[in-house]
Amino acid sequence: MIIRELTQTEIPEIAEIERRCFSHPWSEDSINDSFANSSNRFYIAEFDGVIAGYVGLSVIIDEGYILNVAVLPDYRRKGIAKALINHIISLYKEKLAFLTLEVRPSNTAAIRLYESFGFEKAGLRKDYYREPKEDALILTLFMNKGNI
Ligand SMILES: CC(C)(COP(=O)(O)OP(=O)(O)OC[C@H]1O[C@@H](n2cnc3c(N)ncnc32)[C@H](O)[C@@H]1OP(=O)(O)O)[C@@H](O)C(=O)NCCC(=O)NCCS
């Protein structure tokens, strides 16, 4: 498996991963806009030559916000999401006070993944998601607490 930064020509493949992973996927245009924002970084996992997963990260001064993590259904439970998150933690651990994200409380797979890194429940955003309507759980990993 190779983890590296996304290039602009690969954005259609990220849009395809979005379509296959989410009921409300990011459109190719939204990914393009997000990619063009200098605060954001996108990393991909290549598995057997296929872009099997990606993570998007927004960095504002010393705060890191995970925009999204997704792995194609056929490539799950192979450690790809874990490798992507490990990659951003190693790259940014000296620069960030914390990494945070929102997740559906029903998304057990993602919550287990984040908890395995030491992310902790930090709050709830009421009715954050639609179709189906659901609150968002805020999970945060403090970099300066000896968690990593
Ligand atoms: C969540 C997601 C990114 C995990 O990707 P993955 O590459 O399959 O995850 P990994 O193989 O790296 O798993 C790492 C750990 O996460 C946990 N985990 C992952 N999938 C799990 C599942 N279906 N059930 C329970 N735990 C799970 C386990 O602790 C796992 O370690 P283990 O395999 O040694 O038990 C993937 O299921 C996905 O793309 N889901 C749809 C999109 C999504 O919900 N993204 C998160 C938005 S916040």
Side-chain angles (χ1 to χ4, degrees):
M1 188 191 329
I2 299 167
I3 309 278
R4 60 171 173 82
E5 263 201 85
L6 173 72
T7 62
Q8 190 165 18
T9 54
E10 293 164 329
I11 287 175
E13 286 164 80
I14 301 307
E16 178 60 20
I17 294 176
E18 280 283 313
R19 283 191 289 275
R20 297 190 49 200
C21 292
F22 296 105
S23 55
H24 289 278
W26 268 9
S27 67
E28 197 172 315
D29 283 349
S30 309
I31 302 166
N32 255 305
D33 287 349
S34 189
F35 183 82
N37 181 333
S38 62
S39 300
N40 297 347
R41 291 284 179 277
F42 289 84
Y43 300 93
I44 57 166
E46 262 185 357
F47 198 92
D48 293 340
V50 172
I51 299 179
Y54 87 98
V55 60
L57 174 74
S58 175
V59 176
I60 313 285
I61 310 176
D62 63 349
E63 301 179 3
Y65 180 82
I66 294 183
L67 301 169
N68 225 348
V69 185
V71 173
L72 286 172
D74 288 349
Y75 291 84
R76 289 184 189 161
R77 293 315 280 269
K78 295 178 190 298
I80 292 178
K82 198 170 194 159
L84 285 163
I85 292 176
N86 246 327
H87 189 73
I88 59 173
I89 289 176
S90 338
L91 281 179
Y92 292 94
K93 68 181 169 201
E94 309 296 339
K95 298 178 189 128
L96 298 180
F98 62 82
L99 254 182
T100 191
L101 58 95
E102 283 119 12
V103 62
R104 286 182 185 268
S106 61
N107 193 344
T108 312
I111 293 171
R112 293 257 166 83
L113 166 74
Y114 299 129
E115 284 181 345
S116 74
F117 283 96
F119 281 80
E120 294 167 1
K121 291 176 184 141
L124 205 66
R125 292 194 209 285
K126 251 350 232 171
D127 297 336
Y128 182 81
Y129 294 107
R130 62 200 165 97
E131 291 175 55
K133 193 163 141 181
E134 196 173 348
D135 298 338
L137 201 56
I138 302 168
L139 298 183
T140 301
L141 174 67
F142 291 96
M143 303 295 210
N144 54 1
K145 280 174 68 184
N147 285 342
I148 51 169

